[in-house]
Amino acid sequence: MLKAVFHDPLYLGLAQAGAAALAALVVVLLARRRHIHLEKEVVISMVRGLAQIVAVGSILLLLLREPSWTSVFLLAAMIVAAGATSARRAKGIPQAFQVSTVAIACGAGSVIAVMTWLGVIDTPVTALVPVGSMLIANAMNTNGLALNRFRSEVLAHVGEVETALALGAEGRGSVAPYVQASFESSLIPAIDSLRSLGIVWIPGLMAGMLLSGARPVYAAVYQFVVLAMIFAASGLTALVSTLLVRGRILSPAEQLLLRPGNGR
Amino acid sequence: MVPNKILVEDATFAVESGQTLAMVGPSGSGKSSLLRLLNRLDEPTSGTVYVDGVDYRQMAPRELRRRVGMVMQRPYLFPGTVESNLQFGPRQRGAALPYERVEELLTAVGLGGYATRDVANLSGGEAQRVSFARTLANEPEVVLLDEPTSALDEDAKQGVEALIREVVAKRGLTCVLVTHDMAQAARLAARAVVMAGGRIIKSGLVKEVLRA
């Protein structure tokens, strides 16, 4: 329907964005009826997301002919931005930004580096940046889930943790069950994506490869490659972030710093 | 602990070895916050605590907490058996309680024969007794009791109170009891401090302090 009205690709794109945003706003209104207020967060996130992706698209266009090493700076900037975004899910956890950035750099960064070295990810900017950004974005989501779950678990079990401390337990051991639970739950989306690949969803990368003339089997296998890399990057990120974060919520005197009322 | 908010200040007091001191006062008066400072679950921003004349910041926190045990308002038992809960403290130091010692502790809290029971099946009063025995398993010199009967019904409360009186006397423990119940303070303690607004406003022999 929109294509019949808009002939200019830019206006068509904006109209399509508007239609998709409308669907998201319906959800916001439905949530509002149940007294869940998502308006501000969703609207800001959507406007930001649109502005960011248009900006990055423009930068990519400029970088098309730049040498591959420029990707390193772009990916590094993405890792820092991802660290800042997922740290917001960890209210009250000291140094959450530092923990998130280091975890995403270790998780997504190391997988990108090794896979590029092996030749699994191509080196031109147009290949490395989009695939790298997928790994970083998924690592960011996993990290946000891990930190958010860890925070909720610890806050829900302050009594148990402090009882263990009061009985002479080591701080890290006292929060260990919650490290485990948050690590496991943060990986559910990545595992489910792998499990349902091709059955529930055919991701955009494969569709794009098919449209640009790649052989269907290669496009399918490469999609699996990407999801396996996403799982590796997410898993490593969650592992590093949950290990780092448990040290941040305990003082040197083995006191629990994350307690109700301490949230910033 | 709320950042930048003073919860307790100007609190100087001493507890004699083998004595029970009650901290009384209304909700929010700072008595539980003060108790948490005594085994360093919270860090004092100024001042310190001396245990046997030694500044407690010079002790390893885990050893301090073994010597100054705490029984919380709610028992927070770890999933598993009663015995595994009693073994928790010693296990942190790489030790294990012999079975006879487990039974002896359980008998002391009126729960002889409960060692293999699953803690999920205990009543509120029984759980609090296990919590007390678990603290005693660390062989503390001091026990801090934070409203130990406030979550219990009247029968269970009387039982736990009698148990505290007996165990503390028998083992010669030094005890600091936080309670909002003046009558309970009078029944269990020799001395008392009264707190209000984060400060100690009165202290002395329990009968004199609570009569006024």
Side-chain angles (χ1 to χ4, degrees):
Chain A
M1 195 181 91
L2 290 175
K3 280 182 181 161
V5 181
F6 300 98
H7 298 294
D8 186 297
L10 178 63
Y11 291 125
L12 178 64
L14 287 175
Q16 286 169 333
L22 211 62
L25 287 176
V26 169
V27 174
V28 171
L29 290 177
L30 288 175
R32 193 189 160 90
R33 286 188 63 171
R34 298 183 61 181
H35 307 288
I36 303 165
H37 294 282
L38 301 170
E39 301 90 347
K40 200 175 150 196
E41 195 176 359
V42 172
V43 170
I44 292 176
S45 304
M46 282 201 301
V47 173
R48 261 187 63 168
L50 182 64
Q52 283 163 191
I53 192 77
V54 169
V56 169
S58 313
I59 293 171
L60 272 181
L61 201 70
L62 292 173
L63 289 177
L64 266 177
R65 289 187 185 82
E66 295 294 323
S68 303
W69 56 262
T70 47
S71 308
V72 174
F73 294 104
L74 262 177
L75 294 173
M78 283 177 179
I79 288 173
V80 174
T85 304
S86 61
R88 287 198 200 108
R89 300 281 166 216
K91 228 167 115 183
I93 295 180
Q95 299 168 319
F97 168 64
Q98 192 196 68
V99 168
S100 302
T101 308
V102 170
I104 296 169
C106 289
S110 64
V111 171
I112 293 170
V114 172
M115 291 297 145
T116 307
W117 179 68
L118 285 174
V120 178
I121 304 176
D122 285 338
T123 48
V125 176
T126 45
L128 186 51
V129 171
V131 175
S133 78
M134 267 192 274
L135 302 192
I136 294 168
N138 280 281
M140 172 185 80
N141 290 341
T142 306
N143 182 61
L145 285 175
L147 292 185
N148 192 264
R149 175 71 184 260
F150 182 70
R151 178 180 175 275
S152 321
E153 286 280 341
V154 171
L155 285 176
H157 295 97
V158 166
E160 285 84 349
V161 174
E162 291 200 322
T163 296
L165 292 174
L167 287 164
E170 200 194 12
R172 285 169 182 239
S174 310
V175 297
Y178 317 115
V179 170
Q180 176 98 350
S182 44
F183 175 69
E184 282 173 10
S185 73
S186 71
L187 283 180
I188 290 173
I191 294 172
D192 283 355
S193 296
L194 259 180
R195 194 179 285 158
S196 64
L197 182 62
I199 300 171
V200 182
W201 66 304
I202 298 176
L205 188 77
M206 181 176 160
M209 284 175 77
L210 290 175
L211 286 175
S212 61
R215 284 168 59 190
V217 173
Y218 180 69
V221 170
Y222 198 73
Q223 188 59 64
F224 167 79
V225 169
V226 169
L227 279 190
M229 287 193 296
I230 286 177
F231 179 78
S234 302
L236 269 175
T237 301
L239 196 67
V240 174
S241 107
T242 47
L243 287 179
L244 287 179
V245 78
R246 66 176 185 178
R248 298 299 193 280
I249 61 156
L250 296 158
S251 74
E254 314 263 5
Q255 294 148 332
L256 184 63
L257 301 174
L258 180 64
R259 300 182 59 227
N262 273 11
R264 275 167 283 166
Chain B
M1 191 168 71
V2 179
N4 305 324
K5 190 181 168 198
I6 294 169
L7 296 175
V8 178
E9 63 181 330
D10 199 16
T12 303
F13 66 98
V15 193
E16 298 287 324
S17 176
Q19 187 184 65
T20 296
L21 174 91
M23 284 184 193
V24 294
S27 290
S29 59
K31 51 192 192 304
S32 286
S33 301
L34 181 53
L35 195 74
R36 290 171 57 85
L37 293 177
L38 299 185
N39 71 345
R40 221 178 160 196
L41 276 182
D42 279 336
E43 193 72 5
T45 45
S46 65
T48 191
V49 176
Y50 293 93
V51 180
D52 252 348
V54 178
D55 184 338
Y56 77 167
R57 289 171 301 188
Q58 287 166 12
M59 298 177 194
R62 293 173 60 194
E63 174 58 11
L64 166 76
R65 291 177 192 140
R66 186 202 64 76
R67 291 178 61 190
V68 182
M70 188 173 202
V71 177
M72 309 254 182
Q73 193 167 356
R74 283 179 53 199
Y76 295 115
L77 299 181
F78 305 119
T81 63
V82 169
E83 183 186 354
S84 70
N85 271 270
L86 264 58
Q87 295 282 7
F88 184 89
R91 209 168 49 231
Q92 306 309 313
R93 308 188 297 279
L97 290 182
Y99 190 77
E100 302 74 52
R101 175 84 178 119
V102 171
E103 263 310 311
E104 184 210 323
L105 283 166
L106 288 175
T107 307
V109 298
L111 295 178
Y114 271 55
T116 56
R117 291 216 191 176
D118 190 323
V119 296
N121 302 325
L122 301 178
S123 70
E126 288 168 343
Q128 193 59 301
R129 285 165 186 262
V130 172
S131 165
F132 197 28
R134 183 175 60 180
T135 299
L136 295 178
N138 263 344
E139 296 181 0
E141 296 146 45
V142 182
V143 282
L144 311 175
L145 306 172
D146 188 5
E147 304 265 15
T149 62
S150 67
L152 303 178
D153 62 33
E154 198 52 42
D155 280 352
K157 180 177 158 180
Q158 282 182 17
V160 170
E161 247 186 44
L163 164 77
I164 292 170
R165 202 181 303 116
E166 188 190 318
V167 172
V168 168
K170 211 167 169 183
R171 290 168 193 257
L173 291 170
T174 306
C175 177
V176 181
L177 164 75
V178 160
T179 180
H180 62 273
D181 180 346
M182 304 286 185
Q184 182 176 68
R187 287 194 294 271
L188 294 177
R191 300 180 71 84
V193 295
V194 181
M195 295 196 66
R199 290 167 183 270
I200 293 176
I201 54 166
K202 235 185 290 175
S203 68
L205 288 172
V206 75
K207 280 170 192 147
E208 290 166 12
V209 168
L210 300 181
R211 197 192 308 140

